[in-house]
Amino acid sequence: MAADEQVTLLDTWASSIGMRVRIALAEKGVKYEFIEQDLWNKSGLLLQMNPVHKKIPVLVHNGKPVCESLVIVQYIDEVWKDKAPLLPSDPYQRAQSRFWADFVDKKIYEHGRKIMTTKVEDQEAAGKKDFIDTLKLMEGELGDKPYFGGETLGYVDVALLPYCCWFYTYENILNFSLEADCPKLNAYCKRCLQKESVSKSLEDPKKIYDFALKLRKKLGVE
Amino acid sequence: MASDQVTLLDLWASPFGMRVRLALAEKGVKYEYSEQDLVNKGALLLQMNPVHKKIPVLVHNGKPVCESLIIVQYIDEVWKDKAPFLPSDPYQRAQSRFWADFVDKKIYDFGRKIWTEKGEDQEAAKKGFIDSLKLLEGELGDKPYFGGETIGYVDIALVPFYTWFYAYETIGNFSIEAECPKLIGYCMRCLKKETVSKSLEDPKKVYDFVVMLRKKFGIE
């Protein structure tokens, strides 16, 4: 790919789904410009690049926008295909990878939003146990592999890893310990954070927690 | 692939199931259709989709693939020499995936609220539904299909929901054709294709099914 490619990411620093795109770009060694968005006062650029959903992340590649985090990750994998493939080549294995990334979206991402908009005292009723069971299911799928992608980071890892910096927040709000309840997932996060593409793409868990508390106060649940 | 064993675990009225039937028809794949009871789930379904316990599930040579759009992509990749659903250009592929995801996020959710909600919630769902269809009309433009000259991924994601339009209109007391004539014209055009007409169910039968569900859930 030519050195004069223009790659811009419209994102917000704390977004777990924005971090997916950052990890994917880092894995592929793609240089890009990060433009922090204000979601309370959406910019003309964001509205122009994602008129349908008006959300981040949006990848702008040579002026053309791609929206929805997993759609963006697949796009990155297909464009910068000569390095660090994220999806396997076998169609059945690809379907399994897509299934588990979709599972992360349906169960972890969606519940994460619920956790953020629910008072501490209502978290049990809002499905705290289901959330932890979901994490245990992910542990089962990981098995003995170092990554969901096998020996290297793959599509499912990219979908899931941003939560490594959000687990501290969820532990505090839900009052549980990832290390105690999901030791394998905890070890997986630590292992992945040793990779530069991951550690450089994720944010400090304590900063995320401060951000989460401020947002929860603003939403009236804290 | 003459010795392929292909089975589809499905429910006749499911628009998600219809997506898979349409994809298999487009590729000319022979398969066994297995109607599932979602009230008393069969052992096969629970074994093949232990995570979500839902249909559709495609079982190919004994191995299950779950989630309708994932199944459609799988079908496209396995039976790749005929009727490609996704374009070959990565940017166009991303656009197709975006719009199929839009159908999942907007058409299904708003449609469901039209037949499960009442009053203001139902009105809001009707508005959201129509606004979403109008956006899809804009995306279709002057093309015969979302896939261009042939049926593609977005067409497969969307057109099964046509079978539920009569139910939405009757329960919601509104006319989709009056608001979105272009989209209805598109659906009619798709139904002229044998692969589509053979894969989609009769809207009146779907309506009876929805009426039965509403009674069952005590909606009215």
Side-chain angles (χ1 to χ4, degrees):
Chain A
M1 287 281 143
D4 56 356
E5 291 230 43
Q6 183 64 33
V7 182
T8 305
L9 175 60
L10 309 185
D11 197 356
T12 55
W13 69 275
S15 164
S16 64
I17 53 176
M19 285 176 220
R20 290 172 172 177
V21 180
R22 289 176 239 168
I23 297 173
L25 290 167
E27 279 287 297
K28 301 286 187 175
V30 175
K31 288 190 177 19
Y32 64 98
E33 182 194 3
F34 182 101
I35 305 185
E36 179 76 14
Q37 299 300 301
D38 178 351
L39 297 184
W40 300 94
N41 285 306
K42 292 179 180 181
S43 69
L45 181 62
L46 177 60
L47 298 175
Q48 181 196 347
M49 290 295 158
N50 192 356
V52 172
H53 298 305
K54 306 174 178 54
K55 289 182 177 178
I56 56 89
V58 181
L59 189 79
V60 187
H61 185 202
N62 295 331
K64 300 202 294 189
V66 183
C67 307
E68 293 302 306
S69 65
L70 291 181
V71 174
I72 299 171
V73 171
Q74 289 186 80
Y75 174 78
I76 290 168
D77 199 32
E78 291 175 8
V79 170
W80 289 278
K81 61 186 189 295
D82 296 328
K83 183 178 178 180
L86 298 174
L87 278 169
S89 46
D90 170 70
Y92 186 74
Q93 296 307 323
R94 288 161 77 82
Q96 297 314 299
S97 294
R98 288 183 174 127
F99 175 86
W100 286 103
D102 174 71
F103 179 85
V104 173
D105 262 2
K106 282 185 164 80
K107 299 289 184 179
I108 299 179
Y109 174 70
E110 286 302 329
H111 197 90
R113 279 155 60 95
K114 218 201 292 188
I115 291 172
M116 281 294 290
T117 54
T118 302
K119 291 185 179 162
V120 169
E121 57 266 32
D122 297 331
Q123 293 289 348
E124 293 275 355
K128 171 185 167 178
K129 184 182 180 306
D130 283 347
F131 183 69
I132 297 172
D133 286 346
T134 291
L135 299 181
K136 289 181 173 165
L137 207 62
M138 293 302 301
E139 283 189 318
E141 175 58 20
L142 180 64
D144 294 324
K145 305 191 296 292
Y147 308 103
F148 287 88
E151 293 302 314
T152 52
L153 270 190
Y155 188 62
V156 182
D157 302 283
V158 171
L160 179 64
L161 280 169
Y163 296 100
C164 294
C165 64
W166 272 86
F167 282 140
Y168 179 74
T169 295
Y170 298 150
E171 284 176 305
N172 278 282
I173 298 173
L174 294 182
N175 189 28
F176 83 104
S177 156
L178 191 74
E179 187 167 14
D181 286 327
C182 307
K184 206 166 183 180
L185 198 64
N186 195 50
Y188 161 80
C189 287
K190 285 200 164 83
R191 182 166 61 250
C192 291
L193 279 160
Q194 278 159 25
K195 282 184 64 85
E196 201 184 347
S197 59
V198 177
S199 60
K200 282 189 137 182
S201 306
L202 267 47
E203 299 288 342
D204 178 337
K206 302 253 162 77
K207 283 192 185 161
I208 294 283
Y209 184 47
D210 282 341
F211 163 82
L213 286 177
K214 286 198 179 87
L215 183 56
R216 283 167 61 78
K217 277 200 184 86
K218 197 166 179 176
L219 296 171
V221 294
E222 188 77 29
Chain B
M1 302 222 181
S3 58
D4 269 335
Q5 182 62 36
V6 183
T7 305
L8 175 60
L9 309 184
D10 198 355
L11 180 84
W12 71 272
S14 163
F16 301 105
M18 286 180 227
R19 286 172 168 176
V20 180
R21 289 175 240 166
L22 177 53
L24 290 166
E26 282 284 306
K27 298 287 189 178
V29 175
K30 287 192 176 20
Y31 65 98
E32 180 199 356
Y33 180 97
S34 175
E35 180 76 8
Q36 299 299 301
D37 179 349
L38 295 186
V39 177
N40 290 305
K41 293 179 180 180
L44 182 62
L45 176 60
L46 297 175
Q47 179 197 347
M48 291 295 159
N49 192 356
V51 173
H52 297 304
K53 308 175 176 55
K54 289 183 178 179
I55 56 88
V57 182
L58 189 79
V59 187
H60 184 202
N61 295 329
K63 300 200 294 188
V65 183
C66 307
E67 295 301 307
S68 65
L69 291 181
I70 292 174
I71 299 170
V72 171
Q73 289 186 78
Y74 174 77
I75 290 168
D76 199 30
E77 290 176 11
V78 171
W79 290 278
K80 59 187 190 295
D81 297 326
K82 182 178 179 180
F85 303 151
L86 280 169
S88 45
D89 169 69
Y91 187 75
Q92 295 308 322
R93 288 160 76 84
Q95 297 314 300
S96 293
R97 288 182 174 128
F98 173 87
W99 286 104
D101 174 74
F102 178 86
V103 173
D104 265 0
K105 281 186 164 79
K106 301 287 183 181
I107 303 302
Y108 173 69
D109 279 349
F110 284 132
R112 187 166 204 282
K113 285 184 175 147
I114 292 173
W115 69 268
T116 56
E117 301 287 350
K118 290 185 217 174
E120 272 178 28
D121 290 336
Q122 191 191 53
E123 289 304 311
K126 281 158 64 177
K127 182 177 187 310
F129 182 77
I130 292 295
D131 287 347
S132 300
L133 288 185
K134 285 183 172 161
L135 268 170
L136 284 165
E137 283 186 321
E139 175 57 20
L140 181 64
D142 295 324
K143 305 191 295 294
Y145 307 105
F146 286 88
E149 294 302 313
T150 52
I151 280 186
Y153 187 61
V154 182
D155 303 284
I156 293 171
L158 175 63
V159 91
F161 284 96
Y162 172 75
T163 61
W164 282 66
F165 283 4
Y166 178 72
Y168 299 153
E169 288 174 308
T170 309
I171 294 165
N173 190 30
F174 70 122
S175 162
I176 297 173
E177 184 162 16
E179 302 273 0
C180 306
K182 198 173 181 177
L183 194 78
I184 297 299
Y186 155 80
C187 293
M188 294 292 113
R189 185 161 58 248
C190 289
L191 278 162
K192 290 205 176 95
K193 281 185 62 94
E194 199 186 351
T195 51
V196 178
S197 59
K198 281 189 137 184
S199 307
L200 266 48
E201 297 289 341
D202 178 344
K204 298 260 163 76
K205 284 191 184 162
V206 170
Y207 171 66
D208 288 341
F209 174 77
V210 178
V211 166
M212 183 271 296
L213 283 181
R214 278 163 61 85
K215 276 203 185 84
K216 191 169 173 174
F217 298 151
I219 297 172
E220 186 175 54

